[in-house]
Structures are given as structure tokens and as C-alpha cells.
Amino acid sequence: MNTVVRNLRVVRRMTAAEIAQQSVYRGAWIIFMLANICMPIISLLIWRTALANGAQLPVDERYITTYFVLLGFVTMATSSWMAAFLANDIRLGKLSSWMVRPASLLVGFVANNLSEKFLKLFALVPMIGIVWWIFRDSMNIPGGVGRWVLFAISIVLGAVLVFTIDILIAALAFWMDDVGALVQARVIIASVLSGAVVPLALMPSWSRGFVDHQPFRYTVSFPVEIVAGQLTGRELLAGLAIQLGYVIVLGVLARLVWAAGIRAYSAVGA
């Protein structure tokens, strides 16, 4: 318990320090977030045009509009970019200096992730708000607070899930010379199976069983579906249970792999 409290205190202080450092690049955050919402908006216009021209889709215009308006926010909130950096720190022996510090290297990456998301929100939320206002008459907006609370919980679980997957991939650098190809493969596979490119509701019916239960759905698509979709209460609770299950299972696995890697690690200064 004392270790958890100490790590939380360290994360808070390191996050504050990272925010102060990253605030220098305010213009860069605005450009990054503009790029982040451009693809969803382009996709939104394409799918709305297809519907207007008589395309037969398994979802309606309100679902498509809500999905793509929220997509930029959810992909940013649940994203992680540390796998390549963490793998390099292991491969180049930079992990050695962290082994004599009071906090783990992973705590440093948690603080970096939180600080960047905090700053990106200031640039992204106004942009999403403008797009939301433009398409407000064509969106599904749940009236109750409950769905929004579950939406927030699902985003937090999705962010933890993505972060855990990154640790698992990066930890392979303890035994492999280069995990760059695996990191790139994860990005490509996740962009399709998470629903970041095409809504999973538009996937072929024969793939539904796999698509609905694979872990990447719970990193992007599922949080959006809570607001945009037609999930029943039972489907929603079952989805949250599966999402939490993935977080626990992959979290335990990442903990075991990381511990095994630390025992096998050797480098100059370690």
C-alpha cells in the first residue's frame, strides 16, 4: 500500500514537471490535434455522402455522425506511443540509470503519457466542440448521465489496455535485438481492429464473433459505441466486463514478462 501511495505521489510530481516541460511546444500540440481530427472528419463526409446516395449500411446516419465526431477524442485519450521509446531504453542500456532511482522507468512513461494527454485536451476539445455543434442535429446524444459515466470509465480502461499492450511488446526487447517491426505491426493491426479506420459495425457479418471479442475493439470502438451505438444495457455491461477482463489478464501478463525481463537484463552500468 505504501508503495502504491509513493508511486502515485511520484507520478503526480513527474506529471507536473512534464507538463511544464511540454508546454513549450503549444503550437505543435495544435498541429497534432488538427491532424488527429482530419481523418475522422474526412471519413464522416465520405460515409454521409455514401448514405445520401442510397448506400445500404447496417447503421444509420446518426450512428455514423456520432461515431466519427467522437473518434478523434477517443483515439487521443486511449493512445500510447511509448513502445518504441521503452524498447530503445532497454536495448541501449538506458534502463540502467532508472534501476537506482526511487521510481520505475514505467512510472516515468505514465507521467509522460498523462502530461501529453492533458495538454492535447486543451487543443482538441475546442475543435471537437466546433464539429459537434455543426453536426449536432444528426447525432445521438444520450440524455442520462449514466451513459456518459460509463463512457468515461471505458475510456480509462481503454487507455490502460493500450498502455499494457505497449509494455508487453516493448518488454520483448529484453530478449530481441529489435522490436520495431512488432511495434509497427501493432499500430497497423490496431488501427483496423480498433475501429479507428472503419466502424466495426460495418465489418462483414461473418467476422462478427471475432471482431466483437478481440481486445483492440475495447481500445477505441467500444467507448464510442456506448454513446453512438445501439448497445442494450446487457450488451453494455457485458462489454465492460470483457474490457476489464482484458485489462486484468494483460496487466498480470505484462507484470510477469517485465519482471522476467528485469531478471534477464544486463548492460553497462546495470
Side-chain angles (χ1 to χ4, degrees), residues 8-25:
L8 289 175
R9 190 180 300 125
V10 172
V11 167
R12 180 174 60 81
R13 292 180 177 175
M14 292 181 73
T15 302
E18 288 276 355
I19 290 173
Q21 181 181 355
Q22 299 294 335
S23 297
V24 176
Y25 309 105

Side-chain angles (χ1 to χ4, degrees), residues 205-228:
S205 57
W206 54 263
S207 68
R208 297 306 316 173
F210 167 74
V211 167
D212 289 345
H213 295 93
Q214 47 84 25
F216 293 110
R217 176 196 175 202
Y218 298 92
T219 63
V220 174
S221 179
F222 182 69
V224 181
E225 290 172 28
I226 293 176
V227 177

Side-chain angles (χ1 to χ4, degrees), residues 26 61 64 89 135 182 237 248 262 264:
R26 293 185 293 273
E61 184 185 73
I64 289 291
D89 286 350
F135 294 103
L182 287 174
L237 293 176
I248 294 173
I262 290 293

